[in-house]
Amino acid sequence: MADFLTKREDNYSQWYNDLVIKADLAENSAVRGCMVIKPYGYALWEKIQAQLDKMFKATGHVNAYFPLFIPKSFFSKEADHVEGFAKECAVVTHYRLKNDPDGKGVIVDPDAKLEEELIVRPTSETIIWNTYKNWIQSYRDLPILINQWANVVRWEMRTRLFLRTSEFLWQEGHTAHATKKEAEEETRLIIDLYSDFAQNYMGIPVLKGTKSESEKFAGAIETYAIEALMQDGKALQAGTSHFLGQNFARAFDVQFLDKTSKLEYVWSTSWGVSTRLIGAIIMAHADNNGLVLPPNLAPIQVVIIPIYKGNSELESINSAALEIKAELETKGISVKYDNRDTHKPGYKFAEYELKGVPVRLALGSRDIAGGTIELARRDTLTKEIVPRESIGSRIEDLLKEIQINIFNRALQFRDDNIYRVDTREQFLEQVEKGGFILAHWDGTAETEEKIKQETKATIRVIPLDSPEEEGKCVWSGNPSVRRVVFARAY
RNA sequence: CGGGGUGUAGCGCAGCCAGGCAGCGCGCUUCGUUCGGGACGAAGAGGUCGGGAGUUCGAAUCUCCCCACCCCGACCA
């Protein structure tokens, strides 16, 4: 059917690239490594934003905005943080252009060199903690629970639309607390919130856990992550929440007087998810006909397509369609009525399938005469004829059903692709096939590094709920007390 | 930064080896017939052949230089 898309089974990454472009989500821009997010892709991001924003607000967070530019000196204050980001920072060195005296065009004005270079934020901990320093003197000033929606820049070597681009959109939460306990609770609260969002809105099951020492955020004491499994068996980190301890407070000298008049460093967290989530939605649900969007995040939940011969038929279909649209909209369902006369129904069917619209209604003279509507669902590609009077309630139920169905499908796939592995041979074999590998690990960075070098698999998470279990490290044979999750990852 | 590849109409490509009117498919415009799974016919529009220099009567094609992008590695949400 969709023969303009590369088949998923032929070349998964080409299929993904084709899909992003053909479904009109985004395209490569004139700037290397940076994408243009097109209206349909941005609409999806807006749905993600709106829901997360609601969830952040419901847990007491507020939004604010900090600068894009960060003085270079701020980066040198937290050693691990510098180490982690130094290699991928864009640097602003000048503030003016001038006409090229030798000819056409403009050049950077050498007289306009900045005293101190500015870093384009790869993340905002430093500028934010420099600012918080001025906001916090007393325990009465705490907690600070701020989120910002922003763009960040990380100069990536290799980029892929949504999954890894040099500039991307995200939200970053930065909180300040009086106690360690409170900051730890915040970190856990957010990773649970992300997990809830991934499962109930994106329809993607995730594994929740902590990162190993080498995989955690630069500057964090502990990094919690949710990890999803894509259809090709590779893992995708879908969200992270960091317990930063007092690292940034010490680096930026942020102290407060507690209730006992004792001077203390502030405890902090940071957490984020990015436009990468769009990549996750694609790679978790889409098929050879195109996107399959979860109803809870689909920009268009229902599309209505008229089928008619001549203008007289169209008129009666128009009025019926608009009635149905209005009825659905009163139930909070987003509906598009596509009565463009420039494309045939078959074209539109294929187009909305490609774009992953969960439910499609087709309305023709036969339906008008018989008081029915043809309803097609994207997740199963099945059709049914529904009586006109029950369409509202049918769709209301169906959207919920589709949401659950695609989650269950992804869950089934995920569960079918978790493997308990106990020997190096099994590990090597399974890593080639993909999936999450549950294996014993001796807990050392050396072993982790060796495994990464030889298999390209990394520890995705150390699951929060993993039971203690005596075993031997799959690589070194040294004793281990629990299994961790390995996979090749995006 | 290494290795490979590609730049020709909006998109996808052929033409280059062996120099001689710049082509094909899709898309686009107009008109007509169509319309329940990507319609058909007819007529059109659309080009700095990535850029520069050279060889030649003549360069998309040969030579040299430059630029950009893509893929594969090392780095990463």
Side-chain angles (χ1 to χ4, degrees):
Chain A
M1 198 177 282
D3 49 358
F4 42 81
L5 265 185
T6 302
K7 291 255 175 294
R8 187 173 55 180
E9 54 275 21
D10 290 349
N11 184 342
Y12 192 82
S13 61
Q14 191 61 46
W15 164 81
Y16 174 86
N17 291 339
D18 281 8
L19 191 43
V20 171
I21 304 288
K22 297 275 168 54
D24 228 16
L25 295 174
E27 62 186 34
N28 283 305
S29 71
V31 184
R32 180 195 145 80
C34 297
M35 63 180 162
V36 173
I37 303 176
K38 298 185 74 177
Y40 192 58
Y42 201 80
L44 183 53
W45 178 239
E46 284 177 317
K47 295 284 286 190
I48 292 170
Q49 273 188 307
Q51 181 55 36
L52 282 171
D53 203 63
K54 203 162 122 188
M55 293 166 86
F56 296 152
K57 303 261 172 71
T59 45
H61 302 85
V62 291
N63 287 329
Y65 188 79
F66 294 84
L68 171 66
F69 302 119
I70 301 175
K72 190 180 71 177
S73 57
F74 286 17
F75 267 88
S76 56
K77 297 195 177 184
E78 212 289 329
D80 289 336
H81 195 64
V82 193
E83 173 77 20
F85 287 103
K87 283 174 286 185
E88 48 187 17
C89 286
V91 185
V92 179
T93 56
H94 293 74
Y95 58 86
R96 194 164 64 207
L97 299 174
K98 66 174 189 180
N99 287 323
D100 184 349
D102 295 335
K104 299 183 198 88
V106 289
I107 58 167
V108 174
D109 187 342
D111 295 333
K113 194 161 160 35
L114 289 169
E115 280 287 301
E116 178 176 5
E117 290 95 339
L118 297 171
I119 311 302
V120 181
R121 63 177 167 224
T123 179
S124 300
E125 276 77 5
T126 57
I127 185 75
I128 285 176
W129 280 90
N130 179 75
T131 308
Y132 281 1
K133 176 181 164 59
N134 300 322
W135 294 0
I136 301 168
Q137 280 89 38
S138 152
Y139 70 91
R140 293 190 181 90
D141 298 323
L142 297 170
I144 292 176
L145 303 172
I146 284 179
N147 175 63
Q148 91 165 340
W149 290 96
N151 59 338
V152 287
V153 169
R154 297 179 186 177
W155 214 262
E156 297 290 347
M157 302 282 179
R158 280 172 54 68
T159 59
R160 289 193 71 194
L161 293 170
F162 290 117
L163 298 175
R164 178 167 299 107
T165 47
S166 292
E167 180 192 16
F168 58 90
L169 305 183
W170 77 347
Q171 58 70 214
E172 47 180 327
H174 295 273
T175 67
H177 306 266
T179 65
K180 179 181 182 189
K181 179 166 176 284
E182 200 183 302
E184 283 177 331
E185 281 168 2
E186 169 76 6
T187 315
R188 297 283 284 260
L189 171 80
I190 295 296
I191 202 66
D192 288 345
L193 184 156
Y194 286 158
S195 172
D196 173 23
F197 178 78
Q199 311 210 120
N200 296 318
Y201 289 85
M202 299 200 295
I204 302 176
V206 291
L207 293 181
K208 197 164 30 172
T210 57
K211 287 288 182 181
S212 67
E213 191 63 22
S214 58
E215 292 282 327
K216 76 182 190 192
F217 176 73
I221 303 289
E222 188 84 272
T223 288
Y224 291 82
I226 52 169
E227 204 75 20
L229 188 65
M230 303 295 99
Q231 293 165 344
D232 62 348
K234 287 174 79 174
L236 183 83
Q237 180 172 304
T240 49
S241 180
H242 315 291
F243 171 62
L244 302 173
Q246 295 172 308
N247 288 353
F248 284 90
R250 286 182 203 282
F252 288 87
D253 192 30
V254 188
Q255 299 187 74
F256 70 103
L257 280 170
D258 70 11
K259 286 180 183 171
T260 64
S261 296
K262 196 156 58 92
L263 202 54
E264 276 279 9
Y265 283 108
V266 173
W267 298 86
S268 68
T269 81
S270 69
W271 28 273
V273 299
S274 71
T275 37
R276 173 179 252 199
L277 293 183
I278 293 174
I281 291 170
I282 298 167
M283 288 198 295
H285 302 310
D287 60 25
N288 281 332
N289 294 317
L291 298 179
V292 177
L293 296 180
N296 288 350
L297 294 176
I300 301 166
Q301 293 174 305
V302 176
V303 64
I304 306 174
I305 295 170
I307 292 153
Y308 58 95
K309 297 183 175 69
N311 278 333
S312 56
E313 272 192 28
L314 181 58
E315 269 175 44
S316 59
I317 292 170
N318 271 343
S319 61
L322 290 171
E323 251 175 54
I324 293 165
K325 181 171 190 275
E327 181 189 337
L328 293 175
E329 280 169 346
T330 60
K331 294 173 182 289
I333 297 166
S334 63
V335 184
K336 176 170 176 169
Y337 176 45
D338 185 355
N339 66 347
R340 285 176 299 172
D341 193 35
T342 50
H343 296 279
K344 291 185 58 180
Y347 179 94
K348 294 176 186 174
F349 290 176
E351 181 182 356
Y352 292 106
E353 242 157 52
L354 180 59
K355 291 192 161 190
V357 174
V359 176
R360 182 187 74 228
L361 301 178
L363 194 58
S365 307
R366 291 209 301 263
D367 297 297
I368 300 293
T372 59
I373 298 170
E374 182 192 88
L375 180 157
R377 52 189 281 188
R378 178 62 184 87
D379 60 334
T380 57
L381 295 168
T382 53
K383 291 181 193 175
E384 60 190 273
I385 303 295
V386 181
R388 165 68 187 88
E389 62 274 12
S390 61
I391 194 69
S393 59
R394 177 67 187 122
I395 287 180
E396 229 175 356
D397 293 344
L398 186 58
L399 288 173
K400 290 179 192 141
E401 191 182 326
I402 293 172
Q403 181 75 32
I404 291 165
N405 182 48
I406 65 172
F407 173 79
N408 284 338
R409 219 155 60 177
L411 180 62
Q412 184 71 52
F413 176 82
R414 201 275 308 273
D415 288 347
D416 287 347
N417 286 283
I418 298 186
Y419 306 94
R420 292 169 73 89
V421 160
D422 292 310
T423 67
R424 186 190 286 226
E425 290 65 40
Q426 286 172 0
F427 189 97
L428 288 168
E429 195 186 324
Q430 191 55 53
V431 99
E432 293 302 325
K433 294 183 192 158
F436 284 137
I437 298 176
L438 282 169
H440 279 283
W441 165 57
D442 63 18
T444 67
E446 293 71 37
T447 301
E448 185 185 6
E449 181 61 21
K450 276 182 199 155
I451 294 174
K452 185 178 176 183
Q453 288 304 320
E454 292 186 40
T455 69
K456 291 182 177 143
T458 50
I459 297 173
R460 302 320 303 160
V461 284
I462 302 162
L464 289 181
D465 51 3
S466 77
E468 295 237 340
E469 175 191 305
E470 291 296 317
K472 284 185 176 166
C473 174
V474 75
W475 209 258
S476 67
N478 291 332
S480 151
V481 293
R482 67 166 51 80
R483 287 173 188 269
V484 300
V485 179
F486 284 91
R488 286 188 181 156
Y490 277 98

